[in-house]
Amino acid sequence: MQIGEVCNREVIVTERGTSVREAAALMRDFHVGNLVVVEDRAGVRAPVGIITDRDVTIEVVAMGVDPEMVKVGEVMGPELITARETETVYDTLQRMRQHGVRRIPVLDSRGGLTGIVSLSDLLEFLAEELSSLSR
C-alpha cells in the first residue's frame, strides 16, 4: 500500500518567520504536537522543516528565551526527511527508522505537501491490517 493512502491529509502549517509563541498557539488551537514549516516554490506549498512541541520546550522555554522574539526558522530541525505519496508504507517506515524520526511529511510529484504520517498513524494501520488478517 502507498503511504499517500495512509497519511493524514489535514496538516497544520506555518512559515519560517512565524514567532515561536504563535507556533505554540497554533499547536494548542489545533491539538497537534508539530507544525510543518512551508514556503511557496513556484505556486507549490513545499515543506522545509518541522517544529515540534519538544523543540519549543527544549530550545526556547527551558532556555528562558522570549518565544515572541524567536522565529520558527531558528528552532526547526536542520534536516527534513520526507516521503513521496507513491512510496510504500514499508519504505516510509524504513526511512523513518533510518533517520530516527517519528513523523514525516508526504509530498506529491511536484514536491508539494499533501499530508503527514506519524509513527502512531503507521502503528494503527498495521494493527488494523494484522487484525484483518487474523479474522
Side-chain angles (χ1 to χ4, degrees):
M1 178 173 284
Q2 295 180 336
I3 199 66
E5 298 174 58
V6 177
C7 71
N8 181 351
R9 299 286 179 160
E10 295 180 25
V11 185
I12 309 304
V13 301
T14 192
E15 297 176 347
R16 291 179 200 250
T18 302
S19 74
V20 169
R21 188 207 55 77
E22 291 173 289
L26 280 171
M27 289 182 211
R28 183 197 64 230
D29 292 347
F30 289 96
H31 307 285
V32 296
N34 65 85
L35 304 172
V36 176
V37 183
V38 297
E39 65 184 25
D40 182 59
R41 292 186 183 159
V44 174
R45 190 172 68 163
V48 294
I50 290 181
I51 183 170
T52 66
D53 49 5
R54 186 173 192 281
D55 295 329
V56 172
T57 302
I58 302 298
E59 300 296 328
V60 179
V61 176
M63 300 301 288
V65 178
D66 180 359
E68 191 65 52
M69 302 307 293
V70 180
K71 302 301 180 196
V72 165
E74 299 173 73
V75 179
M76 68 183 197
E79 181 182 17
L80 180 64
I81 308 303
T82 62
R84 295 282 179 183
E85 62 187 347
T86 54
E87 292 179 20
T88 67
V89 169
Y90 180 74
D91 289 339
T92 303
L93 271 170
Q94 280 187 310
R95 182 172 298 116
M96 291 171 78
R97 182 180 53 203
Q98 178 184 9
H99 293 280
V101 296
R102 300 179 59 87
R103 60 192 61 81
I104 191 165
V106 179
L107 311 179
D108 62 20
S109 62
R110 295 177 32 198
L113 180 67
T114 62
I116 191 166
V117 66
S118 68
L119 181 58
S120 58
D121 295 332
L122 293 174
L123 289 173
E124 184 178 319
F125 167 74
L126 292 171
E128 288 174 11
E129 290 296 305
L130 290 171
S131 177
S132 177
L133 179 63
S134 68
R135 281 185 240 139

